[in-house]
Amino acid sequence: MSRRCRECKGQLKIIGMGPYEDTIIVECQECGEEYEVEPDGLGEAGYEMVEAWEIEQKRRQQEDEEDSV
C-alpha cells in the first residue's frame, strides 16, 4: 500500500493513532474518507507509526496546555 486512498486514490494524511494506539488513522485529502490501517499499513516499514505517535503526542500536549489555562 502507499499513501493513496483506497476509495478514490487521493493522497492520504496521517492524523493520529487509533483508540488502543495499535493502529494509524488516516484521512484522504480528496474525498475526506477516514479509516484505520495497521502499523505498517502504508508500506513504509513502520515509520508511519512513528509519525502517527508524534502527531498524537503533539495533540495531547495541546490538550494539556488548554486544560491548564
Side-chain angles (χ1 to χ4, degrees):
M1 190 175 194
S2 66
R3 288 201 180 194
R4 294 283 173 198
C5 177
R6 61 185 175 200
E7 299 297 323
C8 74
K9 305 299 182 214
Q11 188 68 26
L12 292 175
K13 178 181 178 184
I14 296 173
I15 60 172
M17 298 175 77
Y20 298 109
E21 298 184 348
D22 61 345
T23 57
I24 300 168
I25 300 175
V26 294
E27 180 180 45
C28 178
Q29 301 297 295
E30 303 291 325
C31 69
E33 183 74 19
E34 186 177 306
Y35 50 91
E36 292 182 48
V37 296
E38 295 180 1
D40 188 25
L42 301 177
E44 298 176 3
Y47 288 111
E48 59 270 47
M49 191 64 169
V50 174
E51 184 178 341
W53 185 83
E54 289 174 348
I55 290 167
E56 199 67 30
Q57 294 304 311
K58 287 178 185 176
R59 184 187 60 78
R60 287 183 182 156
Q61 184 178 12
Q62 288 175 344
E63 286 177 355
D64 288 344
E65 288 173 359
E66 291 171 1
D67 289 343
S68 66
V69 173

